[in-house]
Amino acid sequence: MTTPPPATGNLPLPRWAYVPGEPEKSSADYETLAQITALVPPRFGGYVPARHPALRYGLMLNDHGYFWEAQEILEAVWAAAPQGGRERILLRACILIATANLRLRMQKAHVAARLLGEALGELEALGARGAGGDGFADSFPVAALAALIKAKLAQPMLTKADGVAFAAAGRT
């Protein structure tokens, strides 16, 4: 058993939100991201704990507009998640959502809609696998997130303001 990492409240936010193609910041704040990815173990045993600091940080980054950074952190957690586990499915959906949000910021609504559709497919696949455990996928409001995405996709055209926040699905 490993010692739990520190709480997310002590983790620094990136100094800026990286958006590919924007000239203001030519690269991401890799220094800050490295501090967070260092918290991710090489492999999670059995499941990804819902309260793991890197996971919670990645979700928080998305909700605060750091979409590229969120996808980077969530991908690190995904890579350490057990193969074939429910958490990998939910993490993939979360990564797709963060990427869709980034595409909305870049004014690529059609790409964002496709990515949100893929995320919805992952969430539906997760729902079909049932529940019953102590991991991230067991405590996350998957149905509420799926409903939120469906409502976004029902709109005629997505805009920057249509990003999906995990907190909006009831995540605290």
Side-chain angles (χ1 to χ4, degrees):
M1 188 97 185
T2 60
T3 305
T8 56
N10 298 332
L11 302 175
L13 283 174
R15 292 173 289 193
W16 59 84
Y18 176 63
V19 180
E22 283 190 359
E24 295 87 42
K25 303 292 181 199
S26 60
S27 68
D29 183 2
Y30 291 107
E31 185 179 309
T32 300
L33 296 180
Q35 293 177 51
I36 312 312
T37 56
L39 299 174
V40 179
R43 288 276 169 240
F44 285 102
Y47 61 89
V48 176
R51 300 200 60 79
H52 191 278
L55 170 62
R56 293 179 59 82
Y57 186 83
L59 298 173
M60 181 269 305
L61 284 174
N62 177 79
D63 290 0
H64 284 86
Y66 295 89
F67 306 126
W68 187 89
E69 294 80 2
Q71 115 192 0
E72 289 294 305
I73 298 299
L74 293 172
E75 283 175 357
V77 175
W78 175 87
Q83 294 289 328
R86 297 179 72 240
E87 279 80 23
R88 281 181 78 92
I89 298 170
L90 180 53
L91 284 162
R92 178 161 157 61
C94 292
I95 292 164
L96 287 165
I97 290 166
T99 305
N101 288 339
L102 178 61
R103 295 305 182 258
L104 284 173
R105 178 175 285 162
M106 297 169 71
Q107 299 181 357
K108 296 182 178 186
H110 292 295
V111 175
R114 179 183 55 78
L115 291 166
L116 288 175
E118 288 180 32
L120 183 59
E122 294 290 334
L123 294 173
E124 290 170 348
L126 178 61
R129 296 214 29 206
D134 297 322
F136 170 52
D138 298 305
S139 65
F140 194 86
V142 173
L145 183 59
L148 180 60
I149 292 172
K150 285 178 186 176
K152 300 282 184 183
L153 291 174
Q155 298 176 117
M157 178 60 113
L158 295 174
T159 68
K160 282 184 178 183
D162 290 316
V164 174
F166 299 117
R171 177 96 177 122
T172 57

